[in-house]
Amino acid sequence: MTTTTTTLTRHLLIFLIISVFSQAGNARRSFACDPSNAAVKGFAFCNVKLPIGDRVKDLLSRLTLKEKLGLLVDNATAVPRLEMDEYEWWSEALHGVSNVGPGTRFGGEFPGATAFPQVITTAASFNTSLWEEIGRVVSDEARAMYNGGYGGLTYWSPNINIFRDPRWGRGQETPGEDPIVAGEYAARYVRGLQGNLPGDRLKVAACCKHYTAYDLDNWSGTDRFHFNAKVSKQEMVDTFEVPFRQCVMQGKVASVMCSYNQVNGIPTCADPRLLRDTIRGAWRLNGYIVSDCDSVGVFYDKQHYTTTPEEAAADAIKAGLDLDCGPFLAIHTQGAVDRGLLRESDIDSALVNTLTVQMRLGMFDGDSSAQIFGNLGPKDVCTPANQELALQAARQGIVLLKNHGPSLPLSPRRHRTVAVIGPNSDVTVTMIGNYAGIACGYTTPLQGIARYTKTIHQPGCSNVKCRNAHLFGDAIGAARQADATVLVMGLDQSIEAEFIDRNGLLLPGYQQELVSKVAKASKGPVILVLMSGGPIDVSFAEHDPRVSAIVWVGYPGQAGGTAIADVLFGTHNPGGKLPMTWYKQDYLSKVPMTTMDMRSNQARGYPGRTYRFYKGPVVYSFGHGLSYSNFIHTLVSAPTIFQVPVDGRHKNTTAATETVRVTHAKCGGLSIILQVDVKNAGSKDGSHTMLVYSTPPVGHWGPHKQLVAFSKVHVSAGTQLRVPIKIHVCKFLSVVDRSGIRRIPMGQHNLHIGDVKHVLSIQSTPLGVIKS
Ligand SMILES: *[C@@H]1O[C@H](CO)[C@@H](O)[C@H](O)[C@H]1NC(C)=O
Ligand SMILES: *[C@@H]1O[C@H](CO)[C@@H](O)[C@H](O)[C@H]1NC(C)=O
Ligand SMILES: *[C@@H]1O[C@H](CO)[C@@H](O)[C@H](O)[C@H]1NC(C)=O
Ligand SMILES: *[C@@H]1O[C@H](CO)[C@@H](O)[C@H](O)[C@H]1NC(C)=O
């Protein structure tokens, strides 16, 4: 008895000692300024009481040129002399902590992280508070992983390039084709990630990428490393810059990444007008500018933009680049200094920007466990609440495209067996798309549906490429027996991805044939579920009366199967709207992917891009999305005339023309407010997105239609809600002229919200005439 107790005690003691040691082994030591180290006492840069600017200056003054060069790259070298560790800047968190960058890995106490839907799906929710909330949860998990030694603090997300061309393999990563939606997404997601903390502090540092006019991977002999995007001043200001500007100015992002491509013959990472003048100058970036991974090397070796690598290094740093993803600047910058192409002070300017961000993150504040997010750990990753948010996001992003009959929702009572068919019907990693990590777990579509009813599963094709019809017989057999058929079809990363743009918009291989044959044989209603990032031309199914309903789920994340089933069986009323146009296949023959113009050009037979400029036939338009309810809008109040006060000095010119330059108008707080009643006339509660468009007066270079506001509201069945809509006049009712100048056209702006139309007349008034 005594012996046993002693042994037990001894074991327990050994166990305790081991656990204490292994804990200590896992805990991350401070990046710098560890207070237990006597040496740091003399370092002013470690003194948290000093302003960050002074601390950065002190640190810089202590670094040798060689040490500085080691800090110009993502794999930043340690400075043991100053008790500074090495740091890997490259981490990713596009829609959950990802292991794409070397700064973050999974393992040990961090086997996975919450995998939210791919961004294009989350964008379809049009729910701005959801966007921010996802950012908050992702940064909780990121901070927890950093504390445990598994993650970084600098995340190169989000990707906010305009989804300009439907073939783009990375369109899935973006919030879609509308510049204002993309800008709002950027600002909200970044705010969620960075924590919106007082005093310039950062929870993690986000990064808006890829600046700019970058949305082509590899199309018909042109790849992104060699692409020279020819962009007019008008398109630049009107489209490509809009989300970046909002990310920096409203989102207060801590970083912007320049892209691989050239814009009008200059690599973006070597263009001082883009980096120094625009991002840092005009938009006042408080943060660092980083290259895409290995952009500087690419413009030297692939684009041959400079004749020597030293010139490439000098051009990039002088243009305003602060950090290189890749080793190029660590290798060639010394040579650039030696040849007199660069001064040490140019390098200092870059380092001020990166070191300041590290200080704002608390990396020079010593013991990180004592800091504001120091208590976050494994218990804060993949929590039930975080995983529930991933499920909510998936539900909110699902878009009901067609519901003939209506045949949806299905009912477990009437549909006792459901045939679940298709190459995406039982997938896991397909659901998280690219730039993902390792999910906490998955619910596949088949598993989700099986929670409601009995299933018969037949893949129909062995993968999404669906190269033959060998498995069709069993799939058709299943549809014959079942009370309803759900086909989960679409794409995956073998069809659309980084490096891979699509050649066409149709379903790959024999998928279309499988859908039609199964639909023909099916006993009950046939539901087509499309899993994809980019749009698919499913005109055949839209027109086939035997395909009763079509649902687009994007890449719905780890909980995708639950969300899909909840929508199909009506426990969630779908409210998503398409964030991009679904073109027909033949559209592609008229638009080379390399043509950046958004505006149509009739003389050239060029139809234009996105709902803003393209007026031809589509499969589904931007903003399309049905509900199980019916929402009715009524305009309660709206101004009919709006006076724009104009600076007196410019009154003569404005009277002579029909537009007012935004910079000449007194824009501060100039908004109009509409009051709209939204009635849920259906029998199911649901969320509804109000999309408010404006058509500017004709003849002013503008789009034929532009989203100027959106608002997502929940309305219970049979009730009505009054929703205020605020439209900032200078920002949203302006158009951009051919010289890239933003102007407010005077005259009639036609606002529309669903069926509701309203004419707003904008007039200019010289300042002083208006009584304040
Ligand atoms: C990062 O730099 C260290 C030396 O500072 C080197 O050992 C390591 O291989 C580098 N890692 C990468 C991914 O280049
Ligand atoms: C682009 O595609 C071509 C052929 O489809 C391939 O040979 C080439 O390696 C690709 N380039 C890149 C950068 O992916
Ligand atoms: C105002 O416009 C008129 C007619 O276009 C022109 O003759 C006059 O010189 C202008 N005055 C000023 C101050 O620009
Ligand atoms: C927006 O998302 C949040 C978080 O999931 C949710 O609580 C809220 O109800 C959503 N808003 C609407 C109108 O659906």
PDB file of all heavy atoms in Angstrom, residues 217-218 223 225 499, ligand 2:
ATOM      1  N   ASP A 217      -3.433  35.263 -63.903  1.00  0.00           N
ATOM      2  CA  ASP A 217      -2.359  34.358 -63.489  1.00  0.00           C
ATOM      3  C   ASP A 217      -1.599  33.789 -64.675  1.00  0.00           C
ATOM      4  O   ASP A 217      -0.390  33.908 -64.752  1.00  0.00           O
ATOM      5  CB  ASP A 217      -2.892  33.250 -62.572  1.00  0.00           C
ATOM      6  CG  ASP A 217      -2.796  33.686 -61.126  1.00  0.00           C
ATOM      7  OD1 ASP A 217      -3.531  34.614 -60.737  1.00  0.00           O
ATOM      8  OD2 ASP A 217      -1.936  33.146 -60.401  1.00  0.00           O
ATOM      9  N   ASN A 218      -2.318  33.193 -65.597  1.00  0.00           N
ATOM     10  CA  ASN A 218      -1.636  32.571 -66.739  1.00  0.00           C
ATOM     11  C   ASN A 218      -2.686  32.326 -67.809  1.00  0.00           C
ATOM     12  O   ASN A 218      -3.466  31.399 -67.716  1.00  0.00           O
ATOM     13  CB  ASN A 218      -1.011  31.231 -66.280  1.00  0.00           C
ATOM     14  CG  ASN A 218      -0.078  30.660 -67.328  1.00  0.00           C
ATOM     15  OD1 ASN A 218       0.104  31.225 -68.406  1.00  0.00           O
ATOM     16  ND2 ASN A 218       0.503  29.500 -67.021  1.00  0.00           N
ATOM     17  N   ASP A 223       1.776  35.266 -68.513  1.00  0.00           N
ATOM     18  CA  ASP A 223       1.617  34.972 -67.087  1.00  0.00           C
ATOM     19  C   ASP A 223       1.877  36.229 -66.277  1.00  0.00           C
ATOM     20  O   ASP A 223       2.355  37.242 -66.787  1.00  0.00           O
ATOM     21  CB  ASP A 223       2.487  33.787 -66.644  1.00  0.00           C
ATOM     22  CG  ASP A 223       3.966  34.111 -66.673  1.00  0.00           C
ATOM     23  OD1 ASP A 223       4.343  35.224 -66.247  1.00  0.00           O
ATOM     24  OD2 ASP A 223       4.759  33.254 -67.124  1.00  0.00           O
ATOM     25  N   PHE A 225       4.003  37.068 -64.191  1.00  0.00           N
ATOM     26  CA  PHE A 225       5.374  37.554 -64.015  1.00  0.00           C
ATOM     27  C   PHE A 225       5.830  38.403 -65.203  1.00  0.00           C
ATOM     28  O   PHE A 225       6.831  39.117 -65.117  1.00  0.00           O
ATOM     29  CB  PHE A 225       6.337  36.384 -63.819  1.00  0.00           C
ATOM     30  CG  PHE A 225       5.919  35.462 -62.711  1.00  0.00           C
ATOM     31  CD1 PHE A 225       5.608  34.136 -62.961  1.00  0.00           C
ATOM     32  CD2 PHE A 225       5.813  35.936 -61.407  1.00  0.00           C
ATOM     33  CE1 PHE A 225       5.204  33.289 -61.932  1.00  0.00           C
ATOM     34  CE2 PHE A 225       5.414  35.096 -60.382  1.00  0.00           C
ATOM     35  CZ  PHE A 225       5.102  33.764 -60.647  1.00  0.00           C
ATOM     36  N   PHE A 499      -1.907  30.389 -60.372  1.00  0.00           N
ATOM     37  CA  PHE A 499      -1.251  29.826 -61.569  1.00  0.00           C
ATOM     38  C   PHE A 499      -2.248  29.311 -62.609  1.00  0.00           C
ATOM     39  O   PHE A 499      -1.874  29.067 -63.741  1.00  0.00           O
ATOM     40  CB  PHE A 499      -0.279  28.660 -61.247  1.00  0.00           C
ATOM     41  CG  PHE A 499       0.913  29.073 -60.445  1.00  0.00           C
ATOM     42  CD1 PHE A 499       1.006  28.766 -59.091  1.00  0.00           C
ATOM     43  CD2 PHE A 499       1.938  29.794 -61.043  1.00  0.00           C
ATOM     44  CE1 PHE A 499       2.107  29.170 -58.335  1.00  0.00           C
ATOM     45  CE2 PHE A 499       3.043  30.190 -60.309  1.00  0.00           C
ATOM     46  CZ  PHE A 499       3.130  29.875 -58.953  1.00  0.00           C
TER      47      PHE A 499
HETATM   48  C1  LIG B   2       1.492  28.901 -67.969  1.00  0.00           C
HETATM   49  O1  LIG B   2       0.856  27.880 -68.704  1.00  0.00           O
HETATM   50  C2  LIG B   2       1.717  27.226 -69.606  1.00  0.00           C
HETATM   51  C3  LIG B   2       0.945  26.230 -70.448  1.00  0.00           C
HETATM   52  O2  LIG B   2      -0.371  26.167 -70.128  1.00  0.00           O
HETATM   53  C4  LIG B   2       2.836  26.543 -68.855  1.00  0.00           C
HETATM   54  O3  LIG B   2       3.710  25.936 -69.761  1.00  0.00           O
HETATM   55  C5  LIG B   2       3.576  27.577 -68.033  1.00  0.00           C
HETATM   56  O4  LIG B   2       4.541  26.941 -67.224  1.00  0.00           O
HETATM   57  C6  LIG B   2       2.620  28.339 -67.138  1.00  0.00           C
HETATM   58  N1  LIG B   2       3.321  29.414 -66.471  1.00  0.00           N
HETATM   59  C7  LIG B   2       3.197  29.667 -65.191  1.00  0.00           C
HETATM   60  C8  LIG B   2       3.998  30.789 -64.666  1.00  0.00           C
HETATM   61  O5  LIG B   2       2.468  29.031 -64.453  1.00  0.00           O
END
